[in-house]
Amino acid sequence: MKINPLMVATALVFATPAVADDIHETVATNLAHAIPNLPGKSLVAVEVNYPPGGSSRPHHHAKSAFIYAYVVSGTIESQVEGEPARTYRAGESFFETPGAHHVLGRNVSATEPAKLLAVFVVDTADKELTTPDR
């Protein structure tokens, strides 16, 4: 399998160590592939695993990234800047528009894990899919 720089960039962004007393998600790339009939675009699917009580740090997504998110298991609360926070359960889905500022992502349960599949349609040249807030 050929290593895609987009996969490497995604892994590096999400592999940031957790801050003391914070429990954060882990992210694994499941698929990264150029879309043949959309030159310059790629499809990247990542699995986001939230441990009990786990959360995501606030972050921005790539300016080109349209994201479809599907809750595989558990219950996840999510919020994009300018919109109300919403709770999604296993089997439910939502989307985020290009350049979205994701201000909240967390596992609602303190005892059960939660899993999300996020599918990005993104410019192939984009090096980072997600940039944590500083």
Side-chain angles (χ1 to χ4, degrees):
M1 178 175 130
K2 182 179 173 188
I3 294 178
N4 182 322
L6 193 54
M7 287 173 45
V8 174
T10 302
L12 291 174
V13 167
F14 285 112
T16 316
V19 177
D21 298 327
D22 288 340
I23 303 169
H24 292 287
E25 83 285 6
T26 59
V27 179
T29 302
N30 284 357
L31 170 78
H33 196 278
I35 303 173
N37 61 336
L38 292 174
K41 294 287 185 184
S42 287
L43 184 72
V44 180
V46 299
E47 185 178 291
V48 183
N49 287 287
Y50 290 98
S55 65
S56 299
R57 293 176 179 86
H59 55 273
H60 282 84
H61 291 294
K63 291 186 189 225
S64 70
F66 178 85
I67 303 159
Y68 166 77
Y70 177 81
V71 180
V72 176
S73 62
T75 304
I76 294 171
E77 184 177 26
S78 182
Q79 182 180 14
V80 172
E81 186 173 40
E83 297 179 14
R86 295 216 24 215
T87 300
Y88 301 94
R89 290 169 178 70
E92 296 182 324
S93 61
F94 58 96
F95 69 90
E96 295 180 21
T97 57
H101 183 207
H102 200 158
V103 295
L104 173 66
R106 73 179 190 95
N107 180 353
V108 173
S109 175
T111 59
E112 299 293 324
K115 184 185 300 186
L116 175 78
L117 178 67
V119 180
F120 292 70
V121 176
V122 64
D123 287 349
T124 303
D126 280 350
K127 303 247 186 285
E128 293 186 31
L129 298 180
T130 304
T131 304
D133 288 1
R134 306 245 179 247

